Amino acid sequence: MLVIDNDEFKLWIDYIDKHELEMTLLSSLSFIIPITYCILYVCVCKKEKVAGRIINLPLAYSLIGSLGWLINLLLECIILFTIYIKYGISMHSVAISSLLSIVQSCIFISTIAFMCLSTIHRIYTLPKFFPNGNLSMYKGSKKISTNAIMATFFSSVCIFPIFYMVSVLRNYSFINDFVVDKSVYVMVLGIILVGIVLLITVAYYMSQPLKKLKNATEAIKNSEYDKHIDVVSSDDYGDLADNFNSMSQALLEQRNRIITIQNSIIRGMAVMVESRDNSTGGHINRTSECVRVFIEQLKRDGSFDISDTFANAIIKAAPMHDLGKIAVDDAVLRKPGRFTPEEFEIMKQHAAKGAEIVDEVLKESDDEEFKNIAVNVAHYHHEKWDGSGYPNKISGENIPYEARIMALADVFDALVSKRCYKDSMSYDKAFQIIEESLGQHFDPVLGRFFISCRPKLEELYNNLPE
C-alpha cells in the first residue's frame, strides 16, 4: 500500500496561503524567462540565422515552453526543502505530486503543443515564407527525425494521459482520505513499458524505409542512377519503393541513352578529324584498343590502383586525344611528309586546342571524373617524363596518370603503323625505342609494364584489319 501523508499536504496548503504573494511572483518569474526567450529567439539574432529560426519555431517554442515548468519545479523543490529544514517534516508526498504535475505539463507543452504548432507551421507558415522548400539549406535549421515524431506522438497519446490519471488519482485519494494500492502504480509502469516497446517497433517499421529512401535519393542526386530500395511490403512503403525503383531505372536508361549519343558524337568528331589527316588512318581505333589492352593488364596485375571507373573512363576517352587537330589548318595537317619547325609548332597547338574542345563538348556531363580524364588525355598526351614535351613542358608525376598511359599507346601505334612519310616499324624496334625512352619520354614504371604487355599487343595488332 502507498500511504498519502495528509499532514504534508495540509502544511503545504497553509504555506501557500501565508505566502500567496511570494508564490505568485515566483510562478510568474518561472514563465517570464521562457516567454522572454521565445520573443528574443527570432527577433534578436544574426540576419543569416533568421530563416533557420523561423523553420525551428515549433521545436524551439515547445522546448522553451517546457523550461518554464522545469524552473517552477526547481523553485518548489527549494521551498519544500526549506520547509523540511524549518519544521523537520519531509514533504515527500507533496514533492511527488508536484513532480507529476510538472511532468504532465512539460509533456503537454513539448508534445501536444509541438504537434499542433508543427501542423500549423507546415500548412501555413513554411509555404508562405519558403514556397520553394529546400529548408535544409538555411543555416541553423533542424531536422526532426521520424523516431522523434513517433516519440512525440507516443508521449501525447499515452504518457500524458497516464501521468494525468495518476495525478488525479493521488489528489482524489488525498481529498477522500483513502490509500492507493501499489499495484496500481506497478500496472501503470507496466503499461508505459509495453508502450515503449510498441513505440520502438513502430518507429523502426516507419523509419527504416524512409532512411533507405533518403539514402537512395542522395545517391540519385549524385548521379548514381543504379540505386534501388530493397523494401518489399504490401503497404504504402512498398508502393513508394516500387515507384522509386521504377523512376531510378528510367533515369538510368535515359542516362545511358544520352551517354551513348554523346559517345557517338565524340567518336564521330574524332573520325572526322582523322579523315582530314591523311597520315594517320585508323589511328583512333588502334590507340583505343591499345589503351584497352594496356589498362586491362594493369588492372589484372594488382600493383596499380586502377578502379573500374578509371579504366572505363580512359578507354572511352582515348578516341578523343587528337580532337584538337580539327583546329589545325589543312595545309599543315594534310601535308604528305615531315613538318618544318614552323609547321610543327602549329601542329603542337592541337593538344591545348583539344583540351578546350573536349571541355566544351563535355561541359554538361554529370560525370566529372570522366570529363577530367578526357581533358587530361587530350591536353597532356604529348608531355614527356623529362619535361621536354608539349604544350606545357611538365615532367614526371606532374603529368596526369591517364596522359602517361595514353602517351605510350599513341607512340607505340605511331611506331608500328605505316605513315605517308615512313614505313611501319618492327615490334622489336618499336619496343626497343620505348625501352630506351624510359625515364626520358615515358614514365619508367608504366613503360616497363607496357613492354611486358608485348604478347597481348602483338596479338592485337596482328589481328587488326588492314
Side-chain angles (χ1 to χ4, degrees):
M1 298 291 183
L2 184 65
V3 180
I4 306 298
D5 192 337
N6 291 341
D7 291 337
E8 293 182 16
F9 281 96
K10 289 175 182 176
L11 182 60
W12 178 240
I13 292 171
D14 289 342
Y15 185 88
I16 292 175
D17 289 339
K18 290 178 183 179
H19 302 278
E20 183 177 358
L21 179 61
E22 293 92 329
M23 293 294 290
T24 302
L25 289 174
L26 288 173
S27 295
S28 300
L29 178 64
S30 301
F31 294 97
I32 287 173
I33 294 174
I35 290 173
T36 303
Y37 189 65
C38 280
I39 295 172
L40 297 177
Y41 181 74
V42 174
C43 298
V44 182
C45 67
K46 294 180 179 179
K47 186 176 180 180
E48 63 269 19
K49 292 185 178 180
V50 172
R53 292 200 172 185
I54 291 175
I55 294 169
N56 296 338
L57 281 179
L59 178 62
Y61 279 14
S62 299
L63 295 177
I64 294 170
S66 301
L67 178 64
W69 289 104
L70 296 176
I71 295 174
N72 189 272
L73 176 62
L74 177 62
L75 293 174
E76 281 197 18
C77 289
I78 293 173
I79 294 170
L80 294 173
F81 184 72
T82 303
I83 293 174
Y84 169 73
I85 296 297
K86 184 175 182 180
Y87 299 102
I89 301 175
S90 172
M91 301 297 287
H92 178 264
S93 294
V94 176
I96 291 177
S97 292
S98 295
L99 179 62
L100 286 171
S101 176
I102 297 299
V103 167
Q104 67 183 0
S105 298
C106 284
I107 292 173
F108 181 85
I109 293 295
S110 62
T111 61
I112 298 176
F114 170 75
M115 297 296 285
C116 294
L117 286 171
S118 292
T119 301
I120 295 171
H121 209 48
R122 186 173 65 251
I123 295 174
Y124 298 107
T125 310
L126 294 180
K128 180 179 179 180
F129 288 96
F130 310 97
N132 297 323
N134 202 16
L135 302 182
S136 59
M137 68 177 286
Y138 296 100
K139 188 174 182 180
S141 62
K142 304 295 182 184
K143 295 180 180 178
I144 310 300
S145 68
T146 304
N147 290 340
I149 293 175
M150 287 299 300
T152 301
F153 177 78
F154 171 74
S155 299
S156 301
V157 301
C158 183
I159 301 295
F160 173 73
I162 289 175
F163 270 91
Y164 182 78
M165 286 187 292
V166 171
S167 179
V168 169
L169 182 62
R170 284 182 61 84
N171 292 336
Y172 183 79
S173 66
F174 163 67
I175 294 171
N176 293 276
D177 196 21
F178 74 91
V179 178
V180 180
D181 194 289
K182 286 185 179 180
S183 62
V184 174
Y185 295 96
V186 173
M187 181 181 67
V188 169
L189 179 61
I191 292 172
I192 293 175
L193 291 176
V194 170
I196 291 173
V197 172
L198 291 174
L199 166 66
I200 294 172
T201 304
V202 174
Y204 179 84
Y205 177 83
M206 295 184 66
S207 64
Q208 285 305 302
L210 294 178
K211 183 177 179 181
K212 290 179 179 180
L213 177 63
K214 178 184 175 182
N215 293 337
T217 52
E218 285 290 333
I220 292 289
K221 187 172 71 173
N222 295 325
S223 304
E224 298 177 36
Y225 300 115
D226 57 343
K227 292 295 180 181
H228 280 57
I229 305 175
D230 57 340
V231 175
V232 182
S233 59
S234 57
D235 53 20
D236 288 342
Y237 289 113
D239 287 342
L240 182 62
D242 291 341
N243 289 336
F244 179 88
N245 292 337
S246 297
M247 179 196 71
S248 64
Q249 182 63 33
L251 287 173
L252 180 62
E253 291 174 358
Q254 185 180 34
R255 177 176 179 265
N256 289 339
R257 283 196 297 271
I258 292 172
I259 291 174
T260 300
I261 294 170
Q262 184 186 66
N263 292 342
S264 297
I265 292 172
I266 292 170
R267 196 166 189 89
M269 291 176 66
V271 170
M272 180 179 67
V273 171
E274 190 172 71
S275 68
R276 293 179 59 230
D277 186 355
N278 58 16
S279 67
T280 59
H283 179 66
I284 290 173
N285 289 332
R286 293 194 301 271
T287 52
S288 297
E289 287 299 303
C290 186
V291 167
R292 182 184 58 77
V293 169
F294 188 23
I295 206 75
E296 288 177 355
Q297 284 287 94
L298 288 173
K299 282 180 61 180
R300 279 194 291 268
D301 180 78
S303 303
F304 301 86
D305 186 17
I306 304 290
S307 67
D308 289 340
T309 304
F310 176 85
N312 293 333
I314 191 172
I315 292 171
K316 192 164 70 170
M320 307 166 69
H321 73 281
D322 274 340
L323 272 185
K325 288 183 178 180
I326 200 170
V328 178
D329 189 86
D330 273 352
V332 175
L333 187 65
R334 299 177 66 85
K335 180 180 179 181
R338 293 189 176 276
F339 298 128
T340 65
E342 293 77 14
E343 290 170 338
F344 187 55
E345 287 301 316
I346 294 173
M347 190 64 174
K348 287 197 295 186
Q349 295 174 11
H350 84 275
K353 288 288 186 181
E356 293 175 9
I357 293 170
V358 172
D359 185 62
E360 182 65 23
V361 170
L362 299 178
K363 69 178 181 180
E364 298 299 330
S365 173
D366 57 6
D367 190 343
E368 197 65 27
E369 182 179 4
F370 168 63
K371 176 183 173 181
N372 291 334
I373 288 173
V375 169
N376 288 339
V377 163
H379 200 174
Y380 302 112
H381 69 282
H382 284 297
E383 298 288 358
K384 296 184 179 180
W385 187 259
D386 63 3
S388 63
Y390 64 87
N392 293 359
K393 295 188 179 300
I394 56 177
S395 62
E397 294 187 356
N398 291 323
I399 305 170
Y401 195 62
E402 52 269 24
R404 286 179 260 159
I405 292 172
M406 189 71 232
L408 284 159
D410 190 40
V411 171
F412 177 73
D413 182 73
L415 293 174
V416 299
S417 300
K418 184 177 181 179
R419 300 287 172 87
C420 61
Y421 54 85
K422 75 171 190 70
D423 289 328
S424 60
M425 197 174 289
S426 69
Y427 294 130
D428 287 339
K429 183 62 176 177
F431 281 108
Q432 179 186 345
I433 290 174
I434 290 176
E435 186 172 13
E436 291 172 352
S437 301
L438 299 183
Q440 298 173 11
H441 190 153
F442 306 112
D443 178 337
V445 176
L446 279 177
R448 277 190 287 271
F449 193 83
F450 184 84
I451 293 171
S452 72
C453 297
R454 177 172 176 171
K456 290 280 186 180
L457 293 171
E458 287 189 14
E459 180 183 356
L460 166 68
Y461 273 78
N462 290 336
N463 291 326
L464 286 174
E466 289 296 330

